[in-house]
Structures are given as C-alpha cells and as structure tokens.
Amino acid sequence: MLTTKNFKEMLAEGRTLTHAPADEDALGPLKQLTGVWSNVPHLAGHGWNMIALPFIKEGSSLNYRLLLNQYNEKHQFGLVDKGVPNRGVDLNEPENTDQFVATLDYDQSITQIAAMDFPESGEAGPSDLPIHHEPGLFLHLTNLATTGFDIARLGSIPHGNSVLALGKARTIDGAPTIPQESGLPIGFQKLDNPYLAPYKHFHENLFQGVFDPTIPNDLLAKANEGVAIVKTTELMFDSTIESGGISNIPFIKRQADASRMTATFWIQELADTDSNGDPILRLQYTQTVILNFFGIDWPHVSINTLQKVV
C-alpha cells in the first residue's frame, strides 16, 4: 500500500505509460512479473489443460467429450501505466477520495504439443497448433483497496469472453503449498458412474503417461520436487468476489456458459542464481473456469510451470 509520502508523489507525478522496469515499486506484488516467461527446455511441455465440451457421437450414450492438451507457453508482461486515477469524493467529509492504480499489461500465447479426447472426435488437432491467445491487464490497487483486495485481473479471450477477477497478494517463505483439487464435474465424486467414462479412461490411461485429469494440480506439486524455492509471491484471483464476473457472447452463454473463474499464480525465487548472480525466477499457476452445460458445472483447468527468460 502507498504511504502518505509516495501517494503525494504519485499524485504530483500523474499518469505514466512506459515499458515496465523490473524495479517498478508502484506495481507492488506484481513487480517481479515484468518480462517474458516461457517453457524453457527443462520445463518444456509442463503446460496441461483439460476441458469438457458438449459433443454427440453416433453409437455413444455420452453427450460430451473430455479434451486434454499438453502445451508450451509464452507469457509476456510488458507495459506499466502508473498512477491511473479513479476519481471519487467522500460525502461525509469535504475531501476528494481518489484511488490510484498501477497497471501491468500481459499477453499470453499457448501452442499445444499434443492433444487427445475421449470419446474421440477427430478434432483434437495436431501438434504446434496455437490454441489460446489472451491479452489483458493485472492491476495493483495502490490505495483505497476495499476489504483487503489489492490486486485485480482483466482478460479478453477470442472465444468471446471477458473476465474481471479481484484478489489478494501475499508473500510466503519457501515453496507454496499446491492445493489438490478434483477435476471431476461438480457434485460427482466416484469414477464408477458410467457418465464419467471419459475421466475414468484418462485416469486409467494417463495422458502422455503422466497427466490425470481427476487430480490436475498434481503435476504442479511434482514440478517443485527437488527445487530449492526461497520465497514465493502468491497472487489469488476470483471472479465471484464483489463486482467481478465473466461476460460471454450469446452462443457461449447458451451452449457452454463460462460462469466463474479462479486462478492462483506463484512467483518463485530460487536458491539458484543466473549469470548476473540474481535469483532465477519461476512462475506457476493453476486456473479453473467453470463451464455450465446440461445443468452441470464442469471444471476447465489449466496449469503450467514457467521460467523468466527476459
């Protein structure tokens, strides 16, 4: 949060749009994001995605398919807009109550390495297929953050969705605790239900020999085994908080409504250092978007482990 001194400095300085330097203090907990993150060679293929989709196949009693992707990613955080003013007044006190926001823009691009679905549709696509592009903004609410929420994320997805999620940041000594969450449709707990045949198929026949969609975060925890993580900055976002939400074009709203999103990013400082003697930085995330169709909430989960390269 801003002190009285640097709040006045920001007020006097006004708004500044610039390439984001690594030491931009106004970004607060977002500061270490500046730069480019990717699946460097030793982390190649650490991106995993699972999504259930409405689907009819002749001879099958199911009305959906489960699609899994293995992918590589480039995630770039580029420009900072300092001192974005949100104007207001306090009606109980004769003074202005302006909020100032430091904003970091991002561009996420994902290319699949492999894909498989069940039941097979013939539509999973080849390797080297671009499967996602998302521009957006991360916000640091430098002052007047309500009920403790000091960060926000805005994203735009080419399918026809836009999301606003609020959240909190905190610093952890050492490695984060990766939450173990079920990838099964909400309300389903046992794989012996015939309707869950696609999940049971990949539980018994792991995708690429390692990914189990019933416990999607498992590979994040395994990626941390044997890695000396000194400090972690945790960024948690939730579209259901206060004024957050997801907006969809009519087709998506009608067919597979993206209703809510939660995501956690972990910026990790390693004990290992780079050629300049600075800590090597890693970025892990897990994101769950709930899709609703046929009256069922289906988790669409994406995870990855990246390293900062620029």
Side-chain angles (χ1 to χ4, degrees):
M1 301 295 287
L2 289 179
T3 64
T4 301
K5 178 180 178 181
N6 57 28
F7 175 81
K8 290 181 178 178
E9 290 174 350
M10 182 170 286
L11 183 63
E13 183 178 299
R15 191 168 178 175
T16 304
L17 182 65
T18 182
H19 289 285
D23 59 350
E24 181 50 75
D25 289 337
L27 289 171
L30 310 179
K31 180 168 62 174
Q32 289 179 312
L33 286 176
T34 61
V36 179
W37 307 77
S38 73
N39 290 104
V40 295
H42 72 278
L43 295 175
H46 274 58
W48 303 91
N49 177 73
M50 55 166 287
I51 183 171
L53 300 165
F55 179 70
I56 298 294
K57 183 174 183 178
E58 185 176 354
S60 173
S61 60
L62 298 172
N63 55 4
Y64 75 97
R65 63 186 172 108
L66 184 62
L67 172 64
L68 306 183
N69 312 87
Q70 182 186 20
Y71 64 85
N72 284 327
E73 173 180 349
K74 179 181 178 182
H75 210 137
Q76 180 169 340
F77 294 83
L79 290 174
V80 61
D81 196 347
K82 291 168 52 180
V84 181
N86 293 326
R87 303 302 190 186
V89 295
D90 187 339
L91 297 179
N92 296 315
E93 299 288 341
E95 61 180 24
N96 293 319
T97 56
D98 296 339
Q99 181 185 60
F100 290 87
V101 178
T103 302
L104 186 64
D105 77 354
Y106 72 87
D107 187 283
Q108 179 189 35
S109 57
I110 290 175
T111 302
Q112 77 177 17
I113 297 173
M116 186 177 295
D117 58 6
F118 188 91
E120 293 185 16
S121 66
E123 300 175 7
S127 60
D128 298 324
L129 178 69
I131 58 172
H132 185 75
H133 172 243
E134 180 181 330
L137 300 168
F138 276 25
L139 276 59
H140 175 218
L141 312 180
T142 64
N143 65 309
L144 299 176
T146 60
T147 57
F149 300 110
D150 58 349
I151 54 175
R153 174 185 169 195
L154 297 87
S156 299
I157 297 87
H159 292 286
N161 321 85
S162 61
V163 60
L164 167 61
L166 298 176
K168 297 181 180 181
R170 64 172 182 150
T171 300
I172 305 165
D173 289 330
T177 299
I178 306 296
Q180 189 55 271
E181 298 180 359
S182 172
L184 298 180
I186 307 301
F188 291 82
Q189 298 179 347
K190 296 183 178 181
L191 283 174
D192 57 3
N193 186 325
Y195 191 61
L196 298 183
Y199 293 87
K200 184 176 182 180
H201 170 79
F202 286 116
H203 176 69
E204 296 176 348
N205 305 275
L206 299 180
F207 177 51
Q208 296 292 81
V210 293
F211 183 60
D212 184 344
T214 69
I215 47 172
N217 283 352
D218 185 57
L219 292 184
L220 283 179
K222 288 183 177 179
N224 290 342
E225 293 176 358
V227 179
I229 301 172
V230 176
K231 185 174 71 172
T232 301
T233 299
E234 182 181 79
L235 311 173
M236 299 183 69
F237 299 98
D238 188 339
S239 71
T240 68
I241 294 174
E242 295 190 353
S243 58
I246 299 179
S247 296
N248 304 292
I249 61 174
F251 182 89
I252 292 176
K253 187 74 176 177
R254 183 171 61 251
Q255 297 291 341
D257 182 29
S259 60
R260 60 187 187 272
M261 182 273 286
T262 56
T264 303
F265 292 76
W266 294 279
I267 309 169
Q268 302 164 354
E269 294 185 21
L270 305 190
D272 294 335
T273 58
D274 61 20
S275 59
N276 295 320
D278 297 320
I280 292 174
L281 298 180
R282 293 202 317 170
L283 178 66
Q284 289 189 302
Y285 68 79
T286 178
Q287 174 176 287
T288 300
V289 177
I290 299 299
L291 304 178
N292 183 273
F293 54 92
F294 309 142
I296 299 172
D297 285 335
W298 308 80
H300 163 27
V301 183
S302 302
I303 66 169
N304 205 353
T305 301
L306 308 161
Q307 183 170 305
K308 194 171 188 178
V309 294
V310 179

